[in-house]
Amino acid sequence: MKRLMLTAAGLVAGASLAAAAFAGPSYDAEGRIVIPQNMDRWPTVGTTYALSYEGDGGVTLNTVRLDPESYDAFVSTGKFPVGAIFQLEVRRPVEEIAPAKGGKTQGEVIGRSLHVKDEKAGPGAWTFYNFGASSTVGNAIPRSQACYSCHDQHAGTTDTVFMQYYPTLTEAHARKVAGK
Ligand code: HEC
């Protein structure tokens, strides 16, 4: 009996560990996403500078991060699990902060958004969320917005994520497949 109880306790502990391993996104009663804590600790999968989406001469420094559990899942499987969260952080570039005599480095944040594989619009569907600097929740961006059409048309074929800009992630998966 004692052994049985121990096994049961072990199972419960195992189940909660598995749940903790990928918590995924959570939402408030109005369906707004709760902004995850400590996103600055998430692995960076891409950085871009002055990426001009529509020839509009954008000059920002962008950093894309992926939640750690989905990062590991992608490295192993080459797929994003349901619940995967990308964060895009857009910063103003600054120049010549001593001792630099040229080049650009990160200034203040001017925008952040999330791209979440939440399947709210059906199997495999992703949703964009916007949030301000001090917000604790983010609103879903309506599907009529250009975010969705550009990502649908120009990003990957199975997920609307811009994999072509995230070589770290693709390389890590290739190393895993090669057993290195
Ligand atoms: C004209 C094309 C275009 C439009 C419109 C667009 N994006 Fe993107 N998005 C990109 C590209 C290219 C990247 C690659 C990384 C970068 O921008 O630094 C990207 C990356 C992202 C990422 C990082 C994860 C991923 O999916 O690759 C997020 C989050 C994101 N965009 C949010 C948005 C939101 C929110 C909107 C609408 C307000 C939007 N995007 C509109 C082209 C677009």
Side-chain angles (χ1 to χ4, degrees):
M1 184 62 192
K2 196 172 174 203
R3 202 171 142 210
L4 228 174
M5 276 171 66
L6 279 177
T7 314
L11 276 175
V12 171
S16 59
L17 259 185
F22 185 61
S26 51
Y27 301 90
D28 70 4
E30 281 87 55
R32 293 174 301 190
I33 195 165
V34 177
I35 304 302
Q37 301 285 303
N38 302 325
M39 283 187 288
D40 55 332
R41 295 186 187 173
W42 287 7
T44 295
V45 297
T47 57
T48 57
Y49 167 61
L51 197 70
S52 174
Y53 289 172
E54 286 151 343
D56 52 1
V59 292
T60 58
L61 284 157
N62 298 353
T63 305
V64 177
R65 300 185 176 95
L66 174 62
D67 74 85
E69 290 78 18
S70 301
Y71 184 99
D72 288 345
F74 186 88
V75 169
S76 301
T77 66
K79 293 191 171 63
F80 295 112
V82 172
I85 307 177
F86 277 90
Q87 186 213 25
L88 173 65
E89 180 190 85
V90 179
R91 285 181 182 266
R92 197 181 302 289
V94 288
E95 293 180 32
E96 300 192 2
I97 293 185
K101 296 278 183 272
K104 296 186 175 16
T105 58
Q106 291 185 321
E108 86 269 29
V109 173
I110 52 176
R112 285 196 182 103
S113 55
L114 300 178
H115 198 190
V116 184
K117 188 169 183 175
D118 58 11
E119 304 208 311
K120 283 190 175 174
W126 294 66
T127 305
F128 291 104
Y129 293 86
N130 256 338
F131 58 104
S134 54
S135 327
T136 54
V137 291
N139 291 309
I141 298 177
R143 290 185 187 274
S144 53
Q145 295 295 306
C147 324
Y148 295 91
S149 49
C150 179
H151 279 247
D152 280 351
Q153 285 161 27
H154 302 293
T157 46
T158 49
D159 286 285
T160 52
V161 170
F162 273 93
M163 290 306 292
Q164 57 270 54
Y165 294 93
Y166 313 138
T168 316
L169 203 46
T170 313
E171 288 160 9
H173 175 57
R175 277 198 305 276
K176 180 82 177 180
V177 170
K180 289 183 196 157

